[in-house]
Amino acid sequence: ADIALVCALREGFARVFDAAFRKAFPKVCAWFEGCVAMPQFKAVLGTVKLCATAEKPQPVLKEFLPPVRSEKKKEEPAKKEAPKAEAKAIGKAPAPPRPNGPTGDVAGAITAVGDQIRVLKEKLKAEGLSGKKINDHDEVKKLVAQLQELKEGAEAAPAAPAAAPAAPAAAPAAPA
């Protein structure tokens, strides 16, 4: 741990941490100086001279600068996102509710109603409604009530009987 920490702090102590900065951290400085004074550290790092005055920041070299972005590129993504949102709203037409009868698939009906609620909420959000207003919308309330009824019906319906455990095979009789 000492090796890793000394190696990480060495450049800071040598270039940035001047005497005024180090004054606030006397124990860290004493530990660092003790570590770099050890012959094992000196053999690898050499003599570490502490910073007298902090170095000034160096400008970034041209080859390391990020590419310059133009304003056209910023406008294009915004234009592309709007048609995608419209396509999603158009592509996700609410599915008709599945019948919930003895032959109906209750889990499928629950999923379908849940999907209808999500699509409706996305549509209302796109229209500018928010949180509480969306949840208080009449259509949303109606679909939520329908979803709760389906879930209650699914809980009340008996689950499929579990497979009977296989009987253990009879052990062969021991010879007498």
Side-chain angles (χ1 to χ4, degrees):
D2 286 342
I3 295 170
L5 203 50
V6 166
C7 290
L9 293 175
R10 181 175 63 102
E11 288 299 313
F13 274 99
R15 297 175 186 235
V16 183
F17 305 156
D18 60 0
F21 180 85
R22 292 191 308 261
K23 187 176 180 181
F25 307 101
K27 301 233 182 215
V28 174
C29 293
W31 166 82
F32 181 80
E33 290 171 357
C35 286
V36 296
M38 292 180 185
Q40 296 88 349
F41 279 94
K42 280 187 178 181
V44 176
L45 301 176
T47 303
V48 177
K49 184 179 176 187
L50 298 180
C51 173
T53 59
E55 289 184 7
K56 302 292 182 210
Q58 301 293 324
V60 178
L61 298 175
K62 289 182 181 179
E63 52 267 7
F64 295 114
L65 285 174
V68 179
R69 296 182 185 178
S70 66
E71 293 298 321
K72 292 178 183 178
K73 289 183 179 180
K74 289 182 181 179
E75 294 172 4
E76 289 176 10
K79 290 178 182 177
K80 289 180 181 179
E81 289 176 11
K84 287 181 182 178
E86 292 173 8
K88 281 185 179 180
I90 294 170
K92 288 186 177 181
R98 296 182 185 177
N100 184 16
T103 60
D105 180 20
V106 177
I110 291 172
T111 303
V113 172
D115 290 341
Q116 284 180 327
I117 292 171
R118 281 189 225 47
V119 169
L120 179 59
K121 283 187 172 188
E122 286 176 14
K123 181 180 129 192
L124 293 172
K125 188 174 182 180
E127 291 175 2
L129 294 177
S130 62
K132 181 83 170 144
K133 291 180 181 178
I134 292 174
N135 290 337
D136 288 341
H137 195 272
D138 291 334
E139 290 179 55
V140 173
K141 284 183 177 181
K142 178 181 157 188
L143 287 171
V144 168
Q146 184 180 356
L147 181 64
Q148 288 173 342
E149 289 175 13
L150 288 171
K151 286 183 176 179
E152 288 171 4
E155 290 173 0

